[in-house]
Amino acid sequence: MGLVGLFARINVEVAISINQSDIAFLSYMQDKGVLAFSDVSDTFPGKSLITLKRSAANLNYYLGSDKIYIESDRFHCDISYTCFISFLQRLHIKDYRSSVDERIKLIVVHCFLYSTVNVSALYEEIRISLTTKKKDLKVLEKYLSDKGLQLEIVSSKGIRIVGNEIALRMMVMTILASVCELDNRDYLIGRAANDVYEQLIFSRFQIEMLGHFTAVTEEYHAIVNDNHLALSYPGRKLLYTYMLIARVRTVYPLPVCDFQVALLPSLLYQCASEQQFMNYFVTSLDQNSAVLKFMDITLRSALMNFYIYVQSKIITVIVEREALLHELYLYVQKCIIRRKCGYSIFDNNLSNTKKHYNNLYEIIHSACGDVENIYSIKFSEGHLATMTLIFRKYINKSKLSGRNKKSVVIVTNSAIETVDFFIDNLKFHLDVDICDSINIHEREKLADLNYDLVMTFSNRISMLLQQMNINHIKVNYHLKDKDINNLLKKGFSSNLNRKIKTDRFLEQIKDKSDEEIIDVLKTHYGKYFI
């Protein structure tokens, strides 16, 4: 019997419910498989080792066996993603100990759907005491106040949320996007890994909003196609969710908002407040397009100073300065607009970036003060990590060489910047050609792609690909020696000390004009010639 299993049996009377923290721990363990005791504080800030041992005992009690066990100062987990989903779907409200944050989200979504909410009736339905309700409403008032919103009592009906309409829409969008996915028809469906409260939120949302799906889908496709938007899957999901929310909130006008960064006014619409906000919101979304239709000179100048500072602190001379500045501009512009909109995007693959590239991370941190001051923004650790990866990618590109490419498809749930770093880090080590990078929810696209291997850095995605009988390999996001060695064994070529084959190169440029030679160099030898 494992130590955690023994702990569960000794404390069986205490293990009477599951909570959000338990599920987050199980989700992590299912995906990663192992967690060293020494990594607990970094992986789960604010959680002690004894807290996670209790959580493991609690989970094992409900799972019916020691799926999480301890060996050699590490937690180990033996549960498939399918079993994890099945476990979540078996949970009932009586098994679940909700947090104030979860209950607040439920109230917010109900206020959006019904305008006014009888919180006492709602809490009776979810088996929460009226004493807890009073405490929750005080927390909710503070939560709303920070966003320019207030609770208003409506006689004989309950409460409603009033105030900053943009803040309310963004708040509801963020909650709903976390419990939904887009299917292949671009309809919203429930996320497979929803917990008890997330299932409550989505089911009620689906019932009330189902009649709007068809019309919103048509409008969504019109905006995407007419404006040639190359949105990533997360970007598409947020746009669709926001359009669904906006459709039922048109009677509540948006305030005029100073976003500070300058955009081309007619990017999508004319400048009425509703259309102007959509213009900025679309610009803030995660997308593959690198086209910059209009440049804010102030931001460009601030980022040039940012770049000069970073370059002065690192050894490698970045040879593609303009390309780096262009990518950095696009990302920082999104950060500024998201801050003004009041939403953010979390990416768990960024969590170890500071540890892996600590020196560069600290340089980036020191360099960003001017941009923060000019645009009244405070970059988060996730923002700094992403900018670190952008710089690291171009540092790597300044050292790259290679040939004999293998064709690879990346399957992931991560944002563009995160995936781009992984790709360039992969190219730094190995000679690969990236056929495409797709979201796991778009995996049907694999049937139409010509590739040698599918690659992912998630256990969960690896399991889904395995169920589809897709030839793939799972590697660590921050590639380790064992990953590189494994790929070399699979026939990939190392990028270290690569040379250009002289006779092949001469054959390619033979009898060509200067312009044609330049085209050959850019097409076939882009890592050598700038």
Side-chain angles (χ1 to χ4, degrees):
M1 181 186 297
L3 291 177
V4 174
L6 178 61
F7 196 101
R9 283 154 179 77
I10 293 173
N11 293 278
V12 67
E13 293 84 2
V14 178
I16 57 172
S17 62
I18 292 292
N19 61 33
Q20 191 178 46
S21 295
D22 294 330
I23 291 175
F25 179 47
L26 181 60
S27 177
Y28 177 89
M29 291 304 302
Q30 186 282 316
D31 190 36
K32 304 300 182 184
V34 178
L35 174 64
F37 289 175
S38 59
D39 292 333
V40 165
S41 59
D42 289 336
T43 308
F44 294 96
K47 300 291 184 184
S48 67
L49 178 58
I50 191 65
T51 298
L52 289 191
K53 286 182 177 180
R54 286 173 179 156
S55 185
N58 204 15
L59 288 163
N60 284 339
Y61 174 73
Y62 276 91
L63 288 165
S65 61
D66 293 352
K67 296 296 185 182
I68 301 177
Y69 56 94
I70 292 171
E71 283 184 2
S72 304
D73 297 329
R74 295 171 182 267
F75 289 106
H76 296 263
C77 185
D78 178 23
I79 183 173
S80 69
Y81 183 62
T82 301
C83 291
F84 172 65
I85 296 300
S86 177
F87 165 72
L88 291 177
Q89 292 174 346
R90 291 197 309 269
L91 289 176
H92 297 287
I93 197 78
K94 63 181 177 61
D95 302 313
Y96 198 78
R97 187 169 71 255
S98 60
S99 67
V100 61
D101 179 64
E102 290 175 296
R103 296 190 295 271
I104 282 175
K105 288 179 180 178
L106 187 63
I107 294 173
V108 168
V109 172
H110 274 246
C111 284
F112 161 69
L113 292 174
Y114 306 113
S115 294
T116 59
V117 176
N118 184 328
V119 181
S120 296
L122 176 61
Y123 271 42
E124 184 178 352
E125 179 184 337
I126 59 177
R127 304 186 181 190
I128 301 296
S129 72
L130 295 183
T131 301
T132 301
K133 183 202 80 168
K134 293 177 181 178
K135 295 178 182 178
D136 287 355
L137 289 178
K138 289 181 179 179
V139 177
L140 177 57
E141 285 179 328
K142 176 63 169 61
Y143 176 73
L144 295 175
S145 177
D146 292 341
K147 299 176 181 295
L149 295 163
Q150 304 85 39
L151 281 182
E152 187 177 86
I153 297 175
V154 182
S155 180
S156 302
K157 291 186 177 181
I159 62 168
R160 65 184 173 195
I161 299 174
V162 297
N164 188 321
E165 178 66 17
I166 291 176
L168 178 58
R169 293 188 190 185
M170 292 294 101
M171 184 168 55
V172 174
M173 178 196 74
T174 302
I175 295 170
L176 293 177
S178 70
V179 302
C180 298
E181 301 294 356
L182 280 177
D183 66 10
N184 55 13
R185 303 169 300 160
D186 286 326
Y187 270 47
L188 286 179
I189 58 174
R191 191 173 67 103
N194 280 342
D195 61 35
V196 173
Y197 268 65
E198 289 168 336
Q199 290 173 31
L200 283 175
I201 288 172
F202 178 76
S203 62
R204 189 59 60 95
F205 167 73
Q206 185 181 44
I207 289 170
E208 299 299 331
M209 301 296 291
L210 189 60
H212 297 289
F213 281 7
T214 300
V216 170
T217 300
E218 292 174 358
E219 294 171 7
Y220 160 82
H221 285 149
I223 286 181
V224 171
N225 296 331
D226 292 350
N227 295 282
H228 308 291
L229 299 178
L231 297 172
S232 67
Y233 175 81
R236 286 165 41 212
K237 184 168 69 166
L238 284 180
L239 176 58
Y240 186 98
T241 306
Y242 175 77
M243 291 180 65
L244 199 56
I245 291 167
R247 182 177 178 83
V248 299
R249 297 289 298 183
T250 52
V251 295
Y252 303 96
L254 292 180
V256 175
C257 184
D258 177 16
F259 285 89
Q260 290 183 266
V261 289
L263 295 182
L264 191 63
S266 58
L267 177 62
L268 289 174
Y269 301 98
Q270 298 303 313
C271 277
S273 59
E274 189 83 39
Q275 290 77 20
Q276 184 191 47
F277 178 80
M278 179 67 87
N279 184 9
Y280 278 95
F281 176 64
V282 169
T283 303
S284 77
L285 294 172
D286 193 43
Q287 49 194 297
N288 295 297
S289 174
V291 176
L292 191 59
K293 297 185 178 181
F294 189 80
M295 181 172 287
D296 184 307
I297 300 303
T298 302
L299 179 57
R300 165 71 184 198
S301 177
L303 290 176
M304 175 59 79
N305 293 333
F306 182 108
Y307 163 81
I308 291 171
Y309 178 87
V310 175
Q311 179 66 89
S312 72
K313 299 293 183 181
I314 60 177
I315 297 173
T316 303
V317 176
I318 297 173
V319 296
E320 295 186 58
R321 186 188 74 174
E322 291 305 313
L324 185 153
L325 283 168
H326 181 80
E327 184 171 343
L328 192 62
Y329 181 99
L330 289 171
Y331 178 70
V332 172
Q333 177 180 253
K334 287 192 290 188
C335 291
I336 294 169
I337 298 174
R338 287 173 186 173
R339 176 70 178 83
K340 294 293 181 180
C341 289
Y343 82 98
S344 60
I345 296 175
F346 174 75
D347 193 327
N348 60 7
N349 283 308
L350 297 174
S351 59
N352 289 322
T353 298
K354 182 178 179 180
K355 182 171 70 173
H356 280 275
Y357 306 104
N358 182 258
N359 184 55
L360 182 58
Y361 179 96
E362 293 301 333
I363 292 171
I364 298 286
H365 193 186
S366 299
C368 66
D370 285 348
V371 178
E372 290 181 324
N373 292 334
I374 292 170
Y375 291 95
S376 303
I377 180 176
K378 186 67 176 176
F379 289 118
S380 68
E381 288 191 6
H383 296 149
L384 296 173
T386 300
M387 288 187 279
T388 298
L389 296 182
I390 290 173
F391 268 91
R392 186 68 215 184
K393 180 177 73 173
Y394 282 92
I395 290 171
N396 287 348
K397 292 181 80 163
S398 299
K399 301 175 180 178
L400 278 179
S401 61
R403 61 183 177 83
N404 300 327
K405 296 178 176 64
K406 286 267 189 186
S407 182
V408 171
V409 175
I410 308 295
V411 181
T412 180
N413 284 330
S414 292
I416 298 300
E417 293 83 7
T418 309
V419 179
D420 280 352
F421 171 78
F422 174 81
I423 290 172
D424 277 273
N425 196 27
L426 182 66
K427 288 181 177 180
F428 177 70
H429 293 282
L430 301 169
D431 212 357
V432 297
D433 185 25
I434 304 303
C435 177
D436 203 352
S437 172
I438 65 173
N439 190 280
I440 185 59
H441 299 288
E442 304 171 305
R443 54 188 179 273
E444 66 276 0
K445 289 184 178 181
L446 289 169
D448 300 319
L449 296 174
N450 184 21
Y451 56 86
D452 296 311
L453 186 66
V454 172
M455 193 174 294
T456 185
F457 31 86
S458 164
N459 285 338
R460 186 170 300 172
I461 292 175
S462 177
M463 185 279 297
L464 292 172
L465 294 173
Q466 184 176 351
Q467 289 180 345
M468 296 172 66
N469 295 318
I470 291 174
N471 180 30
H472 73 284
I473 187 169
K474 185 262 177 185
V475 298
N476 291 286
Y477 176 72
H478 293 288
L479 292 166
K480 298 181 179 180
D481 289 343
K482 65 179 182 180
D483 299 315
I484 302 302
N485 291 334
N486 193 15
L487 290 167
L488 290 173
K489 290 177 182 178
K490 289 184 174 293
F492 284 74
S493 298
S494 171
N495 250 337
L496 299 177
N497 301 315
R498 282 292 179 185
K499 308 294 183 183
I500 299 174
K501 195 173 182 180
T502 305
D503 56 353
R504 181 172 181 267
F505 176 74
L506 292 175
E507 181 65 28
Q508 287 180 304
I509 64 172
K510 185 178 181 180
D511 299 325
K512 286 185 167 55
S513 66
D514 289 348
E515 290 76 16
E516 289 172 328
I517 291 174
I518 289 172
D519 184 63
V520 169
L521 296 179
K522 288 183 176 180
T523 302
H524 299 285
Y525 304 100
K527 299 184 184 69
Y528 298 87
F529 298 93
I530 303 300

